[in-house]
Amino acid sequence: MEAFTTHTGRAVPLRRSNVDTDQIIPAHWLKKVTRDGFEDGLFEAWRKDPAFVLNQEVYKGATVLVAGPDFGTGSSREHAVWALQNYGFKAVISSRFADIFRGNSLKNGLLTVVLPQETVDRLQKLVEADPTAEVTVDLVGRQVRAEAPGHSKLTADFELDENARWRLLEGLDDISLTLREESSIVTYEANRPSFKPRTLEV
Amino acid sequence: MGRTLAEKVWDDHVVRRAEGEPDLLFIDLHLLHEVTSPQAFDGLRKAGRQVRRTDLTIATEDHNTPTLDIDKPIADPVSRTQLETLRKNCAEFGVRLHPLGDVEQGVVHVVGPQLGLTQPGTTVVCGDSHTSTHGAFGALAFGIGTSQVEHVLATQTLPLAPFKTMAITVDGELPEGVTAKDLILAIIAKIGTGGGQGYVLEYRGPAIEKLSMEARMTICNMSIEAGARAGMIAPDRTTFDYLQGRDHAPKGEDWDAAVAYWKTLRTDDDAVFDAEVHIDAASLSPFVTWGTNPGQGAPLSASVPDPASYEDASERLAAEKALEYMGLTAGQPLREITVDTVFVGSCTNGRIEDLRSAASVLEGRKIADGVRMLIVPGSVRVALEAVAEGLDKVFTTAGAEWRHAGCSMCLGMNPDQLAPGERSASTSNRNFEGRQGKGGRTHLVSPQVAAATAVLGHLASPADLSDAAVATPAGV
């Protein structure tokens, strides 16, 4: 996984709640067997509408998505995270993320930042007022910062559990970390009851 | 202090616990399908790793598989490649696979329980959010992403963040004609699509204890639709009776040891849940969705809500967008909504009891002109059982299509899809925009409501069929 320390880029406001992973990447894209090439499928149905925010010239090249509450609900498809990354997003900010989506994002180095809804609203207004405003998502300092002329400077601290943060900052591979503890797995396996199910043909 | 069911199962699977780190949990059963596994196997290959426990891993083909002409080559080359990739990966890594055409093939969450692999007190994962289904057995079961699939393949464990517990107590008794599907849709409408975030739900109370295993699976299946990490029901005699004699259920002394352990898997009387919700079963009636997320539902007897009635701005906006997408107007009675297609099937409602329930409504009746009805058994075993009971004849005589097992119209990955603008009554789990096909409009319903809707051509319950009373099969 690529490490995430701090990122500064322009942001795009997505004023919708309950954006499910079927909207982020529709099912027919899931037939691909790679982790790349999903960028054209990102929000595919909504992008057919010229007025959709991602189609607006001013938000071209934005790398931070400022989304409504309950982002990433529904299907567990990690393709949703890959699609956001393939398109160029480095971070997503929302007041609430669905659990599986959040887990998937942090395993791929897409930083999902939880801020209070009120702060998300302010940030959306700020980047709507000035689409050229730069937003910094700083994982080292656990802070989001944004500034635009005519708006008071926005500074918001966020929380992320220390272990997840460390893995992101270092870009660590979970499997290698777990395999350092292989002896614990072997011990656990040796003590499992014999009645536990096995999948071998009977 | 006592522990909840979820905490007991969690504690029994901790491989390693260290300060400041997530617990490392052992995974008893890993289910695979073609959609979320190819990139995980690729990862193993690149790192030179093997599948650690092929004896705890099993794969089936379901999302991409067609439900017609299954003996012919799959028409869509991309779908074909994905299925062939699963076959190649399972052969290379030694994983048991039930491919299209096999007698054990079917929707992954139907196959696991019917083989007896899903057992109380186990941890079950799959790269599929509806893995929550298996919680009906008192298993801690949850959907994972592809990175985690690779992690489980390589280590048979997962590092997991702690969860909170929520009790959903359903008091009283479900009225006649009100099913598990109506109950779970009402629960999701009550707590919201984000209401379960971070929680493992435990469904309990007299109305839950009375439910059959199939009905319990319908409930737990849709836990993810409330945003929950997992949903569970304490195992009891109903659970043990369902399991006994199944291919992979424990036998002989192992059975006795297993049952003794399973009986300990109840929330202690002095355990404390982080949150509690109470539902009065007697107050419920058939429930349907009108919007584009599973929380946007209402009793069938109600009308399409007015977005202006929502105080919360984001809910109001969501309702406005939903009505626009669904082509509905505020105040329209739900019973007046006409449909083009009715789908009975999926990991939510594709089991034998669901088919019996739909058939009991369709027996001696015809579906309305211009309505297309698909009946898709959840697995080949379910199909064989239905045929043995003559249910397929009931369906085809009524004018419905009897199909081969698979995910079918639950999601737009195979040929069974809605055309743009088409409207369905569907026993599946998600009414998201485009879920059943680009531009398609979905109303989530129970199998009974699906069948009555097919007969009348508009959203309806069996009670709306004037010609005869319809018996409710017990326990559904």
Side-chain angles (χ1 to χ4, degrees):
Chain A
M1 181 176 73
E2 210 178 304
F4 189 109
T5 49
T6 182
H7 172 78
T8 300
R10 285 181 292 112
V12 55
L14 181 64
R15 284 193 180 268
R16 273 183 183 254
S17 59
N18 265 301
V19 173
D20 57 76
T21 54
D22 272 81
Q23 302 318 313
I24 300 173
I25 186 84
H28 70 98
W29 283 88
L30 275 47
K31 298 175 184 181
K32 286 167 63 68
V33 295
T34 58
R35 283 175 182 253
D36 49 26
F38 292 100
E39 58 276 10
D40 291 339
L42 180 71
F43 300 124
E44 187 183 45
W46 296 342
R47 274 162 75 188
K48 292 205 162 53
D49 174 5
F52 181 59
V53 69
L54 282 194
N55 290 331
Q56 295 172 25
E57 202 54 43
V58 290
Y59 292 115
K60 285 270 147 63
T63 52
V64 178
L65 184 67
V66 190
D70 294 314
F71 188 81
T73 56
S75 158
S76 64
R77 58 189 71 168
E78 198 158 313
H79 313 66
V81 171
W82 303 333
L84 286 160
Q85 290 183 312
N86 292 167
Y87 185 86
F89 285 112
K90 304 289 183 196
V92 184
I93 298 171
S94 170
S95 61
R96 284 201 308 206
F97 290 98
D99 289 328
I100 301 177
F101 175 81
R102 184 118 206 262
N104 288 342
S105 70
L106 299 177
K107 295 214 179 304
N108 284 275
L110 176 75
L111 183 59
T112 38
V113 175
V114 177
L115 291 176
Q117 186 56 43
E118 184 190 275
T119 313
V120 175
D121 286 339
R122 274 181 60 210
L123 188 55
Q124 285 183 332
K125 276 185 194 139
L126 188 146
V127 298
E128 278 164 357
D130 183 0
T132 67
E134 300 252 294
V135 176
T136 296
V137 182
D138 177 358
L139 183 59
V140 182
R142 273 179 289 207
Q143 197 175 63
V144 173
R145 296 181 291 275
E147 212 168 353
H151 280 258
S152 58
K153 185 173 175 179
L154 185 147
T155 306
D157 294 335
F158 64 86
E159 309 238 333
L160 184 67
D161 88 74
E162 204 39 57
N163 189 268
R165 178 171 168 265
W166 169 67
R167 287 171 190 235
L168 275 168
L169 288 172
E170 302 286 330
L172 291 172
D173 162 20
D174 273 4
I175 297 177
S176 307
L177 285 177
T178 297
L179 288 176
R180 288 185 201 167
E181 307 301 334
E182 199 184 354
S183 60
S184 326
I185 304 174
V186 172
T187 306
Y188 184 91
E189 286 175 326
N191 293 309
R192 282 179 85 228
S194 62
F195 59 73
K196 290 279 186 174
R198 284 174 195 273
T199 57
L200 304 175
E201 299 268 7
V202 288
Chain B
M1 193 176 74
R3 293 178 299 160
T4 64
L5 163 63
E7 287 160 348
K8 288 182 183 185
V9 179
W10 180 285
D11 289 348
D12 284 349
H13 290 84
V14 175
V15 168
R16 183 173 176 274
R17 179 169 282 171
E19 181 68 27
E21 291 181 35
D23 282 353
L24 188 65
L25 253 61
F26 193 80
I27 302 302
D28 287 317
L29 178 64
H30 189 189
L31 306 165
L32 297 170
H33 61 67
E34 75 274 17
V35 182
T36 53
S37 62
Q39 297 87 349
F41 280 112
D42 266 352
L44 290 186
R45 217 175 273 122
K46 275 183 198 147
R49 292 176 176 135
Q50 296 296 312
V51 175
R52 182 180 179 87
R53 296 294 300 264
T54 51
D55 62 332
L56 305 182
T57 312
I58 188 169
T60 180
E61 299 173 355
D62 53 9
H63 286 59
N64 278 267
T65 52
T67 60
L68 283 174
D69 300 327
I70 64 156
D71 50 339
K72 297 193 180 128
I74 291 167
D76 178 352
V78 196
S79 285
R80 196 166 63 227
T81 300
Q82 193 161 62
L83 292 168
E84 282 167 359
T85 303
L86 180 68
R87 291 170 197 179
K88 189 170 64 67
N89 285 331
C90 286
E92 181 182 337
F93 288 91
V95 172
R96 175 177 167 188
L97 167 69
H98 293 297
L100 187 62
D102 187 278
V103 72
E104 299 297 351
Q105 180 262 341
V107 181
V108 67
H109 307 307
V110 178
V111 170
Q114 83 188 4
L115 282 171
L117 283 167
T118 304
Q119 294 177 14
T122 55
T123 46
V124 182
V125 299
C126 176
D128 193 291
S129 61
H130 291 111
T131 310
S132 58
T133 310
H134 307 264
F137 291 79
L140 183 60
F142 46 91
I144 57 178
T146 297
S147 295
Q148 289 172 302
V149 170
E150 185 181 337
H151 196 285
V152 177
L153 288 173
T155 70
Q156 204 58 35
T157 65
L158 273 180
L160 291 168
F163 60 90
K164 294 178 286 181
T165 57
M166 183 189 294
I168 297 189
T169 305
V170 188
D171 295 310
E173 204 172 328
L174 289 173
E176 193 180 317
V178 180
T179 67
K181 184 64 166 289
D182 303 307
L183 171 57
I184 188 63
L185 286 173
I187 290 171
I188 298 163
K190 183 180 171 101
I191 71 174
T193 54
Q197 260 170 42
Y199 289 96
V200 174
L201 313 180
E202 183 182 331
Y203 304 98
R204 56 212 312 258
I208 298 294
E209 287 163 23
K210 277 210 179 124
L211 296 175
S212 67
M213 285 316 299
E214 281 86 349
R216 292 179 189 185
M217 284 189 255
T218 300
I219 302 270
C220 289
N221 172 274
M222 291 190 72
S223 302
I224 182 68
E225 262 53 74
R229 296 266 298 270
M232 299 177 86
I233 294 173
D236 60 9
R237 180 51 55 195
T238 304
T239 322
F240 310 153
D241 288 348
Y242 177 95
L243 277 167
Q244 194 158 25
R246 289 189 184 263
D247 281 2
H248 290 270
K251 307 277 186 305
E253 283 177 16
D254 272 348
W255 172 261
D256 298 334
V259 172
Y261 170 61
W262 296 346
K263 284 181 173 169
T264 68
L265 298 172
R266 306 192 70 79
T267 292
D268 295 327
D269 290 342
D270 57 344
V272 178
F273 289 93
D274 297 303
E276 296 216 36
V277 171
H278 284 269
I279 307 266
D280 174 17
S283 70
L284 298 175
S285 59
F287 213 87
V288 301
T289 63
W290 50 264
T292 54
N293 74 55
Q296 291 176 323
L300 176 64
S301 55
S303 298
V304 175
D306 185 350
S309 67
Y310 290 90
E311 279 179 26
D312 180 86
S314 88
E315 275 187 52
R316 186 163 59 240
L317 183 64
E320 279 168 10
K321 285 197 188 289
L323 294 199
E324 189 189 329
Y325 180 85
M326 294 294 288
L328 298 173
T329 44
Q332 188 176 357
L334 293 171
R335 271 200 171 84
E336 289 179 10
I337 296 171
T338 58
V339 303
D340 310 288
T341 297
V342 175
F343 170 59
V344 174
S346 85
C347 58
T348 310
N349 282 128
R351 297 181 185 80
I352 189 67
E353 276 190 13
D354 302 312
L355 301 191
R356 285 181 194 141
S357 179
S360 74
V361 178
L362 290 177
E363 178 113 55
R365 295 194 169 99
K366 293 278 183 199
I367 64 174
D369 284 345
V371 171
R372 162 175 73 142
M373 185 181 202
L374 267 61
I375 312 282
V376 185
S379 70
V380 176
R381 290 279 178 205
V382 169
L384 293 173
E385 206 174 343
V387 169
E389 294 177 19
L391 303 184
D392 59 323
K393 292 285 179 299
V394 173
F395 295 130
T396 51
T397 304
E401 298 176 39
W402 172 247
R403 296 293 190 91
H404 185 79
C407 292
S408 183
M409 202 180 263
C410 179
L411 85 175
M413 281 198 77
N414 56 65
D416 303 342
Q417 300 195 24
L418 295 179
E422 269 188 338
R423 188 182 298 280
S424 79
S426 175
T427 66
S428 54
N429 39 58
R430 288 187 175 139
N431 51 346
F432 298 154
E433 291 181 20
R435 171 79 179 183
Q436 296 191 289
K438 212 173 285 182
R441 295 159 168 169
T442 305
H443 297 275
L444 301 178
V445 300
S446 72
Q448 291 199 4
V449 168
T453 299
V455 171
L456 292 173
H458 59 80
L459 292 181
S461 74
D464 299 324
L465 300 167
S466 53
D467 50 338
V470 176
T472 308
V476 178

